[in-house]
Amino acid sequence: MNDFQELYQEIVMDHNRRPRNFGELENPTSFANGFNPLCGDEINVYLELVDDQIVDISFNGDGCAISKSSASMLTDGVKGKNVSDAIQIFESFRQMLTRKPGEDFSSEILGDLEILSGVSQFPARIKCATLAWHTFHTALTEKDKSVSTE
Amino acid sequence: MININKIRNDFPILSKKINGHQLVYLDNAATTHKPRSVINSLVDFYENYNSNVHRGVHTLSMEATDQFEEARQKISSFINSETPQSIIWTRNASESLNIISYSWGYKNISEGDEILLSPMEHHSNLIPWQELARAKGAKIKYLSLNEDGTLDLSNIDELMTSNTKLVSIVHVSNALGTINPVKQLCDKAHEVGALFVLDGAQSVPHMLVDVQELDCDFFVFSGHKMMGPTGIGVLYGKMEILEKMDPVFTGGEMVLEVTYEKASWADIPMKFEAGTPNIADSIALGAAVDYLQNIGMGNIHDYEKTITSYGLQKFQELESEGVTLFGPKSSDLKGAVFSFHIPNIHPHDLGTILDGLGIAVRTGHHCAMPLIRSLGVSATARASFYVYNTLDEVDMLIEGIKSAIRYFSDGSN
Ligand SMILES: Cc1ncc(COP(=O)(O)O)c(C=O)c1O
């Protein structure tokens, strides 16, 4: 397997071709915009929170396969979760991507998202994978804000 | 004629393996590799005559000064400037342009004046003028662009008028490869009484440039894009204009006489070179000029033209796959720079996939954000060639693009 095939695995390519939860929510309770000035990638995350639960989530925007599939898998991974669980997934995901070579990460709560662990070997692409997550985190904690990866 | 194998052997980095593949370096518009003679020149300076210039009577200092000034002389004859004095050392093309803006611009541009640029300027030849225009209440106007990425000069008389005080244009575009008709634009600028600044960052590494024949008032470029080291660049200016300009930086080395109250300036070029200059890199840039002249700028240009023609032909084969190549489609109008877009493959993904095959290309907006946006895309992939690249490497690029397209459409390669 080529290095790039490890990065662009079938599940990633599938989410890139057919992103889940793509588009705008009709009645979002929260929204955030994320921008990576380095490459021009832009992502919007829409949330519908009821009490402490993410009842619905969607995203749209323009980005590379890594940022798009990461966003798509994010929406799948946190939909229906409560806020503190979602934040825990966010933390584990971030730890997985920014870990040092050989360092472990807790994969139990990540599920399919573990597929993206290979991104950590492509330092130039880590921000692509985390853009949606930072945007999501902002939507969750600050509401209607913009974030930038820089 | 060019002996490509001999040239390639002069560049140690070209034998490097990247991800298990022979390096195919196609990011020359960003920076070029250095031949052994340039690398050796740096080592030679630090090992054998490292010393400060212009202020010692000891042997090493005199040798360093001689070599430093000889390098200035080499640059001067390379671009055929009137005198070595008209060659000012800077860090890079960006700093050269900023010096023109801060020194000449702030003194001579006033409210209502117009600065004319092209829509394909590098941010370095855009933002200094935006800042100047904002500070002075001047106005920036842009030439029009044809569909093929060449300049549309049909409305030039409306755009260049007696209000125009400065015209600053890129000689060869780093984003599209377009070779601009700069002689015509320079003559036109002079007709209306404007100064003409030429950004030669992408031209002087690849073709013969004669600043006197062009008659440009300023010419700027970076050493690192022409086989020289990073951190050294050039500002050429006509002497009569430089004489009327004030220094932007002051301090040591640039003064004639200093009292506790005031100072008077040294002659040009020292007036513009405050502090200890970049001695080693200036001398190494001289070595790069020697290397280029040894091959011959005419030979380099001719050889790269074959690469451009071949690349244009190969990219045509990719049209059926939906690949869009931006910029002119003739090797007379374009350098060996290929900026392109593939539907459904983001340039960053392509860049990563090509890197996996050892092929280095640049992806993004290439420091020309407004231009790239006007093409209707957020980023492009760009392959830019130099004299040490081969036609085989064009083929490898095309094959790499094809396998990326296959992989992204059905997951096979
Ligand atoms: C056309 C052009 N002008 C100016 C520059 C700026 O050069 P530097 O970054 O060396 O100052 C570049 C570099 O990319 C360029 O391509």
Side-chain angles (χ1 to χ4, degrees), chain A residues 28-54:
Chain A
T29 54
S30 174
F31 153 85
N33 165 271
F35 183 58
N36 182 346
L38 223 61
C39 54
D41 283 3
E42 192 168 6
I43 262 175
N44 299 306
V45 172
Y46 306 87
L47 288 180
E48 192 181 335
L49 285 169
V50 176
D51 299 327
D52 195 33
Q53 204 191 14
I54 301 168

PDB file of all heavy atoms in Angstrom, chain A residues 28-54:
ATOM      1  N   PRO A  28     -31.199  25.809  13.026  1.00  0.00           N
ATOM      2  CA  PRO A  28     -30.062  25.555  13.914  1.00  0.00           C
ATOM      3  C   PRO A  28     -30.163  26.406  15.173  1.00  0.00           C
ATOM      4  O   PRO A  28     -30.629  27.543  15.116  1.00  0.00           O
ATOM      5  CB  PRO A  28     -28.849  25.984  13.080  1.00  0.00           C
ATOM      6  CG  PRO A  28     -29.388  26.961  12.089  1.00  0.00           C
ATOM      7  CD  PRO A  28     -30.823  26.603  11.839  1.00  0.00           C
ATOM      8  N   THR A  29     -29.748  25.851  16.277  1.00  0.00           N
ATOM      9  CA  THR A  29     -29.690  26.658  17.498  1.00  0.00           C
ATOM     10  C   THR A  29     -28.311  27.287  17.645  1.00  0.00           C
ATOM     11  O   THR A  29     -28.106  28.168  18.463  1.00  0.00           O
ATOM     12  CB  THR A  29     -29.966  25.786  18.740  1.00  0.00           C
ATOM     13  OG1 THR A  29     -29.047  24.682  18.716  1.00  0.00           O
ATOM     14  CG2 THR A  29     -31.381  25.262  18.745  1.00  0.00           C
ATOM     15  N   SER A  30     -27.388  26.777  16.843  1.00  0.00           N
ATOM     16  CA  SER A  30     -26.027  27.305  16.932  1.00  0.00           C
ATOM     17  C   SER A  30     -25.321  27.060  15.611  1.00  0.00           C
ATOM     18  O   SER A  30     -25.639  26.113  14.874  1.00  0.00           O
ATOM     19  CB  SER A  30     -25.291  26.609  18.068  1.00  0.00           C
ATOM     20  OG  SER A  30     -23.952  26.998  18.080  1.00  0.00           O
ATOM     21  N   PHE A  31     -24.334  27.914  15.326  1.00  0.00           N
ATOM     22  CA  PHE A  31     -23.642  27.849  14.043  1.00  0.00           C
ATOM     23  C   PHE A  31     -22.242  28.400  14.217  1.00  0.00           C
ATOM     24  O   PHE A  31     -22.007  29.291  15.034  1.00  0.00           O
ATOM     25  CB  PHE A  31     -24.428  28.701  13.029  1.00  0.00           C
ATOM     26  CG  PHE A  31     -23.606  29.261  11.913  1.00  0.00           C
ATOM     27  CD1 PHE A  31     -23.356  28.490  10.778  1.00  0.00           C
ATOM     28  CD2 PHE A  31     -23.058  30.542  11.979  1.00  0.00           C
ATOM     29  CE1 PHE A  31     -22.576  28.994   9.743  1.00  0.00           C
ATOM     30  CE2 PHE A  31     -22.293  31.046  10.940  1.00  0.00           C
ATOM     31  CZ  PHE A  31     -22.051  30.268   9.820  1.00  0.00           C
ATOM     32  N   ALA A  32     -21.282  27.840  13.505  1.00  0.00           N
ATOM     33  CA  ALA A  32     -19.945  28.446  13.499  1.00  0.00           C
ATOM     34  C   ALA A  32     -19.308  28.272  12.130  1.00  0.00           C
ATOM     35  O   ALA A  32     -19.648  27.353  11.374  1.00  0.00           O
ATOM     36  CB  ALA A  32     -19.046  27.824  14.571  1.00  0.00           C
ATOM     37  N   ASN A  33     -18.408  29.197  11.806  1.00  0.00           N
ATOM     38  CA  ASN A  33     -17.715  29.207  10.524  1.00  0.00           C
ATOM     39  C   ASN A  33     -16.220  29.011  10.771  1.00  0.00           C
ATOM     40  O   ASN A  33     -15.649  29.670  11.634  1.00  0.00           O
ATOM     41  CB  ASN A  33     -17.994  30.552   9.822  1.00  0.00           C
ATOM     42  CG  ASN A  33     -17.039  30.820   8.678  1.00  0.00           C
ATOM     43  OD1 ASN A  33     -15.971  31.400   8.867  1.00  0.00           O
ATOM     44  ND2 ASN A  33     -17.414  30.383   7.502  1.00  0.00           N
ATOM     45  N   GLY A  34     -15.623  28.102  10.042  1.00  0.00           N
ATOM     46  CA  GLY A  34     -14.180  27.856  10.199  1.00  0.00           C
ATOM     47  C   GLY A  34     -13.445  28.108   8.902  1.00  0.00           C
ATOM     48  O   GLY A  34     -13.951  27.812   7.816  1.00  0.00           O
ATOM     49  N   PHE A  35     -12.247  28.651   9.005  1.00  0.00           N
ATOM     50  CA  PHE A  35     -11.489  29.033   7.825  1.00  0.00           C
ATOM     51  C   PHE A  35     -10.024  28.667   8.012  1.00  0.00           C
ATOM     52  O   PHE A  35      -9.450  28.908   9.067  1.00  0.00           O
ATOM     53  CB  PHE A  35     -11.642  30.547   7.614  1.00  0.00           C
ATOM     54  CG  PHE A  35     -10.950  31.072   6.379  1.00  0.00           C
ATOM     55  CD1 PHE A  35     -11.276  30.567   5.127  1.00  0.00           C
ATOM     56  CD2 PHE A  35      -9.981  32.064   6.476  1.00  0.00           C
ATOM     57  CE1 PHE A  35     -10.636  31.041   3.979  1.00  0.00           C
ATOM     58  CE2 PHE A  35      -9.344  32.539   5.330  1.00  0.00           C
ATOM     59  CZ  PHE A  35      -9.667  32.031   4.085  1.00  0.00           C
ATOM     60  N   ASN A  36      -9.445  28.040   7.003  1.00  0.00           N
ATOM     61  CA  ASN A  36      -8.003  27.776   7.019  1.00  0.00           C
ATOM     62  C   ASN A  36      -7.355  28.687   5.984  1.00  0.00           C
ATOM     63  O   ASN A  36      -7.393  28.398   4.793  1.00  0.00           O
ATOM     64  CB  ASN A  36      -7.734  26.307   6.689  1.00  0.00           C
ATOM     65  CG  ASN A  36      -6.251  25.983   6.735  1.00  0.00           C
ATOM     66  OD1 ASN A  36      -5.413  26.877   6.762  1.00  0.00           O
ATOM     67  ND2 ASN A  36      -5.934  24.697   6.727  1.00  0.00           N
ATOM     68  N   PRO A  37      -6.766  29.806   6.435  1.00  0.00           N
ATOM     69  CA  PRO A  37      -6.249  30.802   5.494  1.00  0.00           C
ATOM     70  C   PRO A  37      -5.108  30.253   4.630  1.00  0.00           C
ATOM     71  O   PRO A  37      -4.837  30.778   3.565  1.00  0.00           O
ATOM     72  CB  PRO A  37      -5.756  31.944   6.387  1.00  0.00           C
ATOM     73  CG  PRO A  37      -5.607  31.374   7.742  1.00  0.00           C
ATOM     74  CD  PRO A  37      -6.524  30.185   7.833  1.00  0.00           C
ATOM     75  N   LEU A  38      -4.495  29.186   5.073  1.00  0.00           N
ATOM     76  CA  LEU A  38      -3.386  28.606   4.341  1.00  0.00           C
ATOM     77  C   LEU A  38      -3.837  28.044   2.999  1.00  0.00           C
ATOM     78  O   LEU A  38      -3.143  28.123   2.009  1.00  0.00           O
ATOM     79  CB  LEU A  38      -2.783  27.482   5.188  1.00  0.00           C
ATOM     80  CG  LEU A  38      -1.267  27.420   5.232  1.00  0.00           C
ATOM     81  CD1 LEU A  38      -0.698  28.706   5.817  1.00  0.00           C
ATOM     82  CD2 LEU A  38      -0.832  26.236   6.075  1.00  0.00           C
ATOM     83  N   CYS A  39      -5.019  27.432   2.983  1.00  0.00           N
ATOM     84  CA  CYS A  39      -5.450  26.787   1.749  1.00  0.00           C
ATOM     85  C   CYS A  39      -6.808  27.287   1.282  1.00  0.00           C
ATOM     86  O   CYS A  39      -7.286  26.896   0.246  1.00  0.00           O
ATOM     87  CB  CYS A  39      -5.500  25.271   1.945  1.00  0.00           C
ATOM     88  SG  CYS A  39      -6.483  24.766   3.343  1.00  0.00           S
ATOM     89  N   GLY A  40      -7.424  28.156   2.052  1.00  0.00           N
ATOM     90  CA  GLY A  40      -8.708  28.696   1.633  1.00  0.00           C
ATOM     91  C   GLY A  40      -9.886  27.795   1.969  1.00  0.00           C
ATOM     92  O   GLY A  40     -11.021  28.082   1.604  1.00  0.00           O
ATOM     93  N   ASP A  41      -9.638  26.668   2.651  1.00  0.00           N
ATOM     94  CA  ASP A  41     -10.746  25.783   3.020  1.00  0.00           C
ATOM     95  C   ASP A  41     -11.686  26.489   3.990  1.00  0.00           C
ATOM     96  O   ASP A  41     -11.247  27.160   4.920  1.00  0.00           O
ATOM     97  CB  ASP A  41     -10.219  24.516   3.695  1.00  0.00           C
ATOM     98  CG  ASP A  41      -9.648  23.531   2.681  1.00  0.00           C
ATOM     99  OD1 ASP A  41      -9.616  23.883   1.489  1.00  0.00           O
ATOM    100  OD2 ASP A  41      -9.246  22.436   3.085  1.00  0.00           O
ATOM    101  N   GLU A  42     -12.968  26.290   3.756  1.00  0.00           N
ATOM    102  CA  GLU A  42     -13.957  26.942   4.600  1.00  0.00           C
ATOM    103  C   GLU A  42     -15.052  25.953   4.937  1.00  0.00           C
ATOM    104  O   GLU A  42     -15.498  25.194   4.078  1.00  0.00           O
ATOM    105  CB  GLU A  42     -14.547  28.147   3.868  1.00  0.00           C
ATOM    106  CG  GLU A  42     -15.359  29.017   4.791  1.00  0.00           C
ATOM    107  CD  GLU A  42     -15.722  30.358   4.170  1.00  0.00           C
ATOM    108  OE1 GLU A  42     -15.439  30.561   2.971  1.00  0.00           O
ATOM    109  OE2 GLU A  42     -16.302  31.177   4.895  1.00  0.00           O
ATOM    110  N   ILE A  43     -15.460  25.939   6.206  1.00  0.00           N
ATOM    111  CA  ILE A  43     -16.491  24.997   6.642  1.00  0.00           C
ATOM    112  C   ILE A  43     -17.468  25.682   7.592  1.00  0.00           C
ATOM    113  O   ILE A  43     -17.065  26.495   8.439  1.00  0.00           O
ATOM    114  CB  ILE A  43     -15.832  23.743   7.300  1.00  0.00           C
ATOM    115  CG1 ILE A  43     -15.766  22.617   6.267  1.00  0.00           C
ATOM    116  CG2 ILE A  43     -16.593  23.295   8.530  1.00  0.00           C
ATOM    117  CD1 ILE A  43     -15.061  21.393   6.728  1.00  0.00           C
ATOM    118  N   ASN A  44     -18.760  25.415   7.402  1.00  0.00           N
ATOM    119  CA  ASN A  44     -19.776  25.882   8.337  1.00  0.00           C
ATOM    120  C   ASN A  44     -20.365  24.673   9.050  1.00  0.00           C
ATOM    121  O   ASN A  44     -20.643  23.653   8.418  1.00  0.00           O
ATOM    122  CB  ASN A  44     -20.921  26.585   7.598  1.00  0.00           C
ATOM    123  CG  ASN A  44     -20.412  27.787   6.845  1.00  0.00           C
ATOM    124  OD1 ASN A  44     -19.776  28.663   7.409  1.00  0.00           O
ATOM    125  ND2 ASN A  44     -20.673  27.816   5.540  1.00  0.00           N
ATOM    126  N   VAL A  45     -20.523  24.804  10.352  1.00  0.00           N
ATOM    127  CA  VAL A  45     -21.147  23.718  11.120  1.00  0.00           C
ATOM    128  C   VAL A  45     -22.438  24.251  11.756  1.00  0.00           C
ATOM    129  O   VAL A  45     -22.440  25.334  12.361  1.00  0.00           O
ATOM    130  CB  VAL A  45     -20.198  23.167  12.211  1.00  0.00           C
ATOM    131  CG1 VAL A  45     -20.934  22.197  13.120  1.00  0.00           C
ATOM    132  CG2 VAL A  45     -18.988  22.474  11.567  1.00  0.00           C
ATOM    133  N   TYR A  46     -23.536  23.511  11.568  1.00  0.00           N
ATOM    134  CA  TYR A  46     -24.843  23.896  12.109  1.00  0.00           C
ATOM    135  C   TYR A  46     -25.266  22.875  13.160  1.00  0.00           C
ATOM    136  O   TYR A  46     -25.143  21.677  12.931  1.00  0.00           O
ATOM    137  CB  TYR A  46     -25.886  23.941  10.993  1.00  0.00           C
ATOM    138  CG  TYR A  46     -25.490  24.825   9.834  1.00  0.00           C
ATOM    139  CD1 TYR A  46     -24.717  24.308   8.791  1.00  0.00           C
ATOM    140  CD2 TYR A  46     -25.864  26.164   9.793  1.00  0.00           C
ATOM    141  CE1 TYR A  46     -24.331  25.108   7.730  1.00  0.00           C
ATOM    142  CE2 TYR A  46     -25.489  26.969   8.730  1.00  0.00           C
ATOM    143  CZ  TYR A  46     -24.720  26.439   7.698  1.00  0.00           C
ATOM    144  OH  TYR A  46     -24.338  27.247   6.661  1.00  0.00           O
ATOM    145  N   LEU A  47     -25.748  23.360  14.278  1.00  0.00           N
ATOM    146  CA  LEU A  47     -26.149  22.466  15.366  1.00  0.00           C
ATOM    147  C   LEU A  47     -27.575  22.727  15.786  1.00  0.00           C
ATOM    148  O   LEU A  47     -28.030  23.882  15.806  1.00  0.00           O
ATOM    149  CB  LEU A  47     -25.281  22.713  16.612  1.00  0.00           C
ATOM    150  CG  LEU A  47     -23.832  22.271  16.630  1.00  0.00           C
ATOM    151  CD1 LEU A  47     -23.230  22.640  17.972  1.00  0.00           C
ATOM    152  CD2 LEU A  47     -23.751  20.773  16.387  1.00  0.00           C
ATOM    153  N   GLU A  48     -28.268  21.653  16.136  1.00  0.00           N
ATOM    154  CA  GLU A  48     -29.548  21.822  16.811  1.00  0.00           C
ATOM    155  C   GLU A  48     -29.428  21.144  18.174  1.00  0.00           C
ATOM    156  O   GLU A  48     -29.376  19.919  18.274  1.00  0.00           O
ATOM    157  CB  GLU A  48     -30.687  21.208  16.005  1.00  0.00           C
ATOM    158  CG  GLU A  48     -32.036  21.626  16.550  1.00  0.00           C
ATOM    159  CD  GLU A  48     -33.205  21.005  15.782  1.00  0.00           C
ATOM    160  OE1 GLU A  48     -33.031  20.651  14.601  1.00  0.00           O
ATOM    161  OE2 GLU A  48     -34.276  20.872  16.403  1.00  0.00           O
ATOM    162  N   LEU A  49     -29.347  21.969  19.205  1.00  0.00           N
ATOM    163  CA  LEU A  49     -29.197  21.463  20.571  1.00  0.00           C
ATOM    164  C   LEU A  49     -30.535  21.551  21.281  1.00  0.00           C
ATOM    165  O   LEU A  49     -31.182  22.602  21.272  1.00  0.00           O
ATOM    166  CB  LEU A  49     -28.195  22.326  21.338  1.00  0.00           C
ATOM    167  CG  LEU A  49     -26.704  22.153  21.006  1.00  0.00           C
ATOM    168  CD1 LEU A  49     -25.891  23.266  21.652  1.00  0.00           C
ATOM    169  CD2 LEU A  49     -26.218  20.787  21.470  1.00  0.00           C
ATOM    170  N   VAL A  50     -30.937  20.426  21.881  1.00  0.00           N
ATOM    171  CA  VAL A  50     -32.119  20.462  22.744  1.00  0.00           C
ATOM    172  C   VAL A  50     -31.663  20.031  24.119  1.00  0.00           C
ATOM    173  O   VAL A  50     -31.135  18.927  24.269  1.00  0.00           O
ATOM    174  CB  VAL A  50     -33.233  19.538  22.213  1.00  0.00           C
ATOM    175  CG1 VAL A  50     -34.414  19.518  23.195  1.00  0.00           C
ATOM    176  CG2 VAL A  50     -33.689  19.999  20.838  1.00  0.00           C
ATOM    177  N   ASP A  51     -31.835  20.922  25.074  1.00  0.00           N
ATOM    178  CA  ASP A  51     -31.241  20.734  26.398  1.00  0.00           C
ATOM    179  C   ASP A  51     -29.740  20.492  26.223  1.00  0.00           C
ATOM    180  O   ASP A  51     -29.035  21.331  25.742  1.00  0.00           O
ATOM    181  CB  ASP A  51     -31.912  19.590  27.165  1.00  0.00           C
ATOM    182  CG  ASP A  51     -33.396  19.897  27.380  1.00  0.00           C
ATOM    183  OD1 ASP A  51     -33.700  21.102  27.527  1.00  0.00           O
ATOM    184  OD2 ASP A  51     -34.212  18.954  27.367  1.00  0.00           O
ATOM    185  N   ASP A  52     -29.350  19.276  26.551  1.00  0.00           N
ATOM    186  CA  ASP A  52     -27.917  19.009  26.506  1.00  0.00           C
ATOM    187  C   ASP A  52     -27.564  18.062  25.369  1.00  0.00           C
ATOM    188  O   ASP A  52     -26.479  17.511  25.315  1.00  0.00           O
ATOM    189  CB  ASP A  52     -27.513  18.390  27.869  1.00  0.00           C
ATOM    190  CG  ASP A  52     -26.020  18.424  28.054  1.00  0.00           C
ATOM    191  OD1 ASP A  52     -25.399  19.388  27.546  1.00  0.00           O
ATOM    192  OD2 ASP A  52     -25.480  17.478  28.671  1.00  0.00           O
ATOM    193  N   GLN A  53     -28.487  17.908  24.443  1.00  0.00           N
ATOM    194  CA  GLN A  53     -28.286  16.884  23.424  1.00  0.00           C
ATOM    195  C   GLN A  53     -28.176  17.461  22.016  1.00  0.00           C
ATOM    196  O   GLN A  53     -28.898  18.396  21.651  1.00  0.00           O
ATOM    197  CB  GLN A  53     -29.442  15.883  23.482  1.00  0.00           C
ATOM    198  CG  GLN A  53     -29.030  14.544  22.903  1.00  0.00           C
ATOM    199  CD  GLN A  53     -30.218  13.631  22.699  1.00  0.00           C
ATOM    200  OE1 GLN A  53     -31.366  14.054  22.738  1.00  0.00           O
ATOM    201  NE2 GLN A  53     -29.918  12.360  22.446  1.00  0.00           N
ATOM    202  N   ILE A  54     -27.224  16.894  21.219  1.00  0.00           N
ATOM    203  CA  ILE A  54     -27.090  17.294  19.813  1.00  0.00           C
ATOM    204  C   ILE A  54     -28.131  16.507  19.017  1.00  0.00           C
ATOM    205  O   ILE A  54     -27.913  15.363  18.618  1.00  0.00           O
ATOM    206  CB  ILE A  54     -25.665  16.991  19.285  1.00  0.00           C
ATOM    207  CG1 ILE A  54     -24.629  17.754  20.127  1.00  0.00           C
ATOM    208  CG2 ILE A  54     -25.544  17.381  17.825  1.00  0.00           C
ATOM    209  CD1 ILE A  54     -23.206  17.316  19.887  1.00  0.00           C
TER     210      ILE A  54
END
